[in-house]
Amino acid sequence: MSFPWGVGSATGVGSYPGDDPAEALRIVLGELPELPHLPELPHLPELPDRGPGADLTGRTAGLLVDLPVHLQPSGWRFADRPGRDLRRAHDHLARDLDVLEELAGGHDGPFKIQVCGPWTLAATIELRHGDRTLRDPGAVRDLTASLAEGVAGHVAEVRRRLPAARILLQLDEPALPAVLAGRVPTASGFSRLPPVEAPVAEQGLRQVIETVCADDAAFPVVHCCARDVPYGLLRGAGAKAISVDLALVPERHDDAVGETIDAGVGLWLGVVPGTDAALPALKETAAPVRKLWQRLGFPPARLAEQVVVTPACGLAGASPRYVRTALKRCRDTARMLHEAAE
């Protein structure tokens, strides 16, 4: 197994509170420092508090090629031409990349960026007449191709600004289990859209991963902070690491998780609450990770190599003070797990 992160690594999922990208990036760079036994895995923060265009859907929709969007009361919708909402999304991202180059341009280790995956995007963006894109297979294909091209360009731009870094691309797919199970509501909310067959979902995700990560341009990670994570589908689509909320992983998924670990896929485990909470003792935070690993029967040394510790999900709903506490707890948990495996 070969991963772009070092043994005993921790990182954040993506979103943070506030509206200052420089302050957020300094927190990431400061709270995940490079230690002899805990290499850093920083990432580009997302700040949805800045408003439309900084949210998960709007931020990624701004990367789409030849598919402009605008904001309606019901959410993001495809438009005939670019407007102020799309310009705002472009402005937010351009500012983030400028700050990234200024503060981390010399970074020479792994660095993670995040975008919304094709199925969550299809479940949230509406067609021009109001239905969700997910309803129209042809529109989903167009969206997927546009997303793949746009994200490939985004990765290339990040690599230009961080020329010595190893880029990890996290595709956020919180809606994928609902897409597969037919639980995505229609635009009216009175019914549900038909489920998407697993091979179709896998192919759409694979198209994005293969296009963006060709020639080792980026290391693909898929994040799904929902129940019923489709581990086999994500592996089949080309994910080299899968990020989950450990509290939502039931024992009945042990076989699927074990197959993922055995296949040499990285496992990113969210163990720290994403909103303000009184944290237990450090050993109690690490306990669910150890329990999972012991239950599956893998060698302890593989845990620190294959597992990355994260918050349960994004931290946009947390206070700034708690963000620092949560990141430090992730870092300390990763260190404890690494030291225990030595």
Side-chain angles (χ1 to χ4, degrees), residues 1-337:
M1 294 180 297
S2 178
F3 300 109
W5 57 83
V7 293
S9 285
T11 191
V13 171
S15 63
Y16 287 80
D19 57 10
D20 185 339
E23 179 183 3
L25 185 55
R26 287 191 182 101
I27 290 173
V28 170
L29 297 173
E31 292 295 338
L32 299 176
E34 187 169 7
L35 299 174
H37 55 288
L38 185 61
E40 60 182 334
L41 179 48
H43 63 101
L44 183 62
E46 301 167 347
L47 303 175
D49 284 352
R50 290 182 292 183
D55 59 292
L56 176 63
T57 298
R59 184 178 178 85
T60 302
L63 298 173
L64 296 175
V65 176
D66 297 329
L67 286 179
V69 296
H70 64 165
L71 196 59
Q72 294 290 307
S74 56
W76 290 97
R77 181 178 295 182
F78 287 119
D80 294 326
R81 62 185 63 86
R84 65 178 182 179
D85 297 323
L86 192 57
R87 287 194 297 271
R88 189 157 40 202
H90 291 163
D91 289 345
H92 286 319
L93 185 56
R95 171 62 176 154
D96 290 349
L97 294 180
D98 287 344
V99 168
L100 174 63
E101 185 174 12
E102 176 185 352
L103 298 181
H107 182 73
D108 61 358
F111 192 92
K112 179 171 70 75
I113 59 175
Q114 308 84 217
V115 299
C116 187
W119 294 105
T120 296
L121 211 60
T124 51
I125 297 181
E126 297 177 349
L127 300 169
R128 290 176 177 83
H129 57 270
D131 284 331
R132 295 184 189 274
T133 302
L134 192 62
R135 179 184 288 277
D136 185 336
V140 172
R141 287 192 293 270
D142 291 344
L143 171 63
T144 301
S146 175
L147 177 66
E149 182 180 353
V151 175
H154 178 49
V155 167
E157 178 63 14
V158 173
R159 293 182 69 186
R160 184 185 71 80
R161 292 171 182 258
L162 302 182
R166 176 71 166 99
I167 304 302
L168 286 76
L169 173 70
Q170 176 181 303
L171 292 165
D172 290 319
E173 283 285 15
L176 181 56
V179 168
L180 295 170
R183 298 196 303 265
V184 177
T186 59
S188 68
F190 293 119
S191 60
R192 298 291 183 267
L193 296 176
V196 172
E197 295 182 355
V200 175
E202 182 178 312
Q203 172 55 34
L205 191 56
R206 184 188 306 116
Q207 180 179 349
V208 175
I209 289 175
E210 290 183 347
T211 299
V212 177
C213 301
D215 300 322
D216 204 30
F219 182 96
V221 181
V222 178
H223 171 69
C224 184
C225 54
R227 299 183 186 277
D228 300 322
V229 175
Y231 296 93
L233 185 157
L234 299 182
R235 294 199 313 272
K240 294 184 179 180
I242 297 174
S243 172
V244 299
D245 177 352
L246 184 52
L248 300 181
V249 180
E251 289 192 22
R252 69 175 184 274
H253 287 179
D254 278 4
D255 287 346
V257 175
E259 290 169 2
T260 297
I261 296 170
D262 198 46
V265 174
L267 191 62
W268 293 18
L269 298 178
V271 297
V272 176
T275 54
D276 290 36
L279 299 181
L282 180 59
K283 63 180 181 180
E284 293 181 35
T285 301
V289 180
R290 287 175 170 163
K291 182 178 179 181
L292 172 68
W293 210 257
Q294 291 168 356
R295 201 165 66 233
L296 297 175
F298 288 99
R302 284 184 63 175
L303 192 160
E305 298 174 357
Q306 205 159 351
V307 169
V308 173
V309 176
T310 74
C313 201
L315 295 168
S319 67
R321 181 176 181 178
Y322 179 77
V323 166
R324 295 176 182 272
T325 300
L327 293 179
K328 183 178 185 301
R329 174 54 61 93
C330 290
R331 182 190 66 186
D332 293 345
T333 301
R335 179 169 55 192
M336 171 179 281
L337 292 169

